[in-house]
């Protein structure tokens, strides 16, 4: 079985500052890792995914994440945030990909202040 | 826009009633997954359908059931509604090729169900 822990429920940050949203996971098998963003009253949008290969993954909207197998982490980073990045961010794992039994974390609310 | 649509947008039911939620997958996708997202929480996997058959299930009781149709649209049915069923219900479509399912999920906007 897999589990996901998002270490921060809320992250306030000023506009143009860097941000890191932390995600740790546990699994007895190899997993696929994902970050999704959810804007108010909308569904989830994929930011980036790690399936295999390079541990540094670049996604949309300037986000990137680094897979660290030894620390079982998949932290999301952005060097300079915008007001429009204010949203809920979810880390997720799946043993098979394609949505099969995907496990989501509880979410991190990113609040970007002017 | 992901091409995944859900209906209705909002729904209010009373305890004990039954509800059907609908999802239209993105064109060309043969797999649909349903999730329940309670307020302030992450989505929880309910089940997945692939080629009209249930392909895997999360920790949800049998009163949660589903259907996938030949055109890959899908329904989620919930019987004997309970207050705790109040949540945002999300569907997500993806493509499964034999032996592989690494494709991305595309989520719909969700149906907000309130049980009174």
């Amino acid at each position: 079985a897999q589990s996901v822990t998002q270490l921060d429920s809320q992250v306030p940050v000023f506009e143009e500052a860097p941000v890191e949203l932390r995600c740790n996971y546990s699994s007895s098998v190899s997993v696929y890792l994902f970050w999704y963003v959810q804007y108010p009253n909308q569904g989830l949008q994929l930011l980036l995914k790690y399936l295999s290969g390079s541990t540094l993954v670049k996604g949309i909207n300037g986000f990137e994440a680094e897979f660290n197998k030894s620390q079982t982490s998949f932290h999301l980073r952005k060097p300079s945030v915008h007001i429009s990045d204010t949203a809920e961010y979810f880390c997720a794992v799946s043993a098979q990909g394609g949505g099969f039994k995907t496990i989501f974390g509880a979410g991190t609310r990113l609040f970007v202040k002017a | 826009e992901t091409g995944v649509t859900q209906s209705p947008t909002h729904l209010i039911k009373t305890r004990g009633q039954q509800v059907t939620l609908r999802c239209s997958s993105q064109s060309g996708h043969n797999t649909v997954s349903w999730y329940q997202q309670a307020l302030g929480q992450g989505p929880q996997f309910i089940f997945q359908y692939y080629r009209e058959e249930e392909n895997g299930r999360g920790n949800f009781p049998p009163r949660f059931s589903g259907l996938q149709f030949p055109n890959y649209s899908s329904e989620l049915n919930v019987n004997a509604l309970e207050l705790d069923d109040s949540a945002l219900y999300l569907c997500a479509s993806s493509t499964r090729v034999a032996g592989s399912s690494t494709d991305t999920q595309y989520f719909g906007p969700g149906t907000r169900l309130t049980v009174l």
Side-chain angles (χ1 to χ4, degrees), chain A:
Chain A
Q2 296 84 41
S3 68
V4 178
T5 302
Q6 292 185 241
L7 298 167
D8 307 291
S9 60
Q10 294 186 66
V11 174
V13 63
F14 285 103
E15 193 175 19
E16 299 183 6
V19 70
E20 178 180 80
L21 306 183
R22 298 180 293 166
C23 172
N24 286 356
Y25 71 94
S26 68
S27 177
S28 57
V29 299
S30 296
V31 293
Y32 304 121
L33 295 157
F34 308 85
W35 275 99
Y36 288 88
V37 60
Q38 187 176 35
Y39 298 102
N41 301 314
Q42 294 187 28
L44 277 70
Q45 180 183 11
L46 181 69
L47 281 176
L48 47 81
K49 60 184 177 183
Y50 173 78
L51 303 181
S52 64
S54 173
T55 57
L56 183 63
V57 181
K58 293 190 183 297
I60 62 171
N61 301 342
F63 285 94
E64 64 181 32
E66 186 157 17
F67 170 60
N68 188 318
K69 188 174 182 179
S70 63
Q71 297 187 6
T72 60
S73 67
F74 190 56
H75 299 334
L76 181 71
R77 302 186 183 99
K78 186 170 183 178
S80 176
V81 295
H82 303 288
I83 297 287
S84 60
D85 292 322
T86 295
E88 191 85 19
Y89 291 80
F90 294 96
C91 180
V93 300
S94 173
Q96 291 192 21
F100 188 76
K101 292 188 177 180
T102 302
I103 306 299
F104 285 82
T108 297
R109 172 78 175 163
L110 175 64
F111 178 58
V112 182
K113 301 178 286 186

Side-chain angles (χ1 to χ4, degrees), chain B residues 89-111:
Chain B
Y89 288 84
L90 298 163
C91 77
S93 71
S94 57
T95 300
R96 182 182 226 187
V97 178
S100 173
S101 56
T102 59
D103 200 9
T104 299
Q105 289 189 99
Y106 294 88
F107 282 82
T111 293

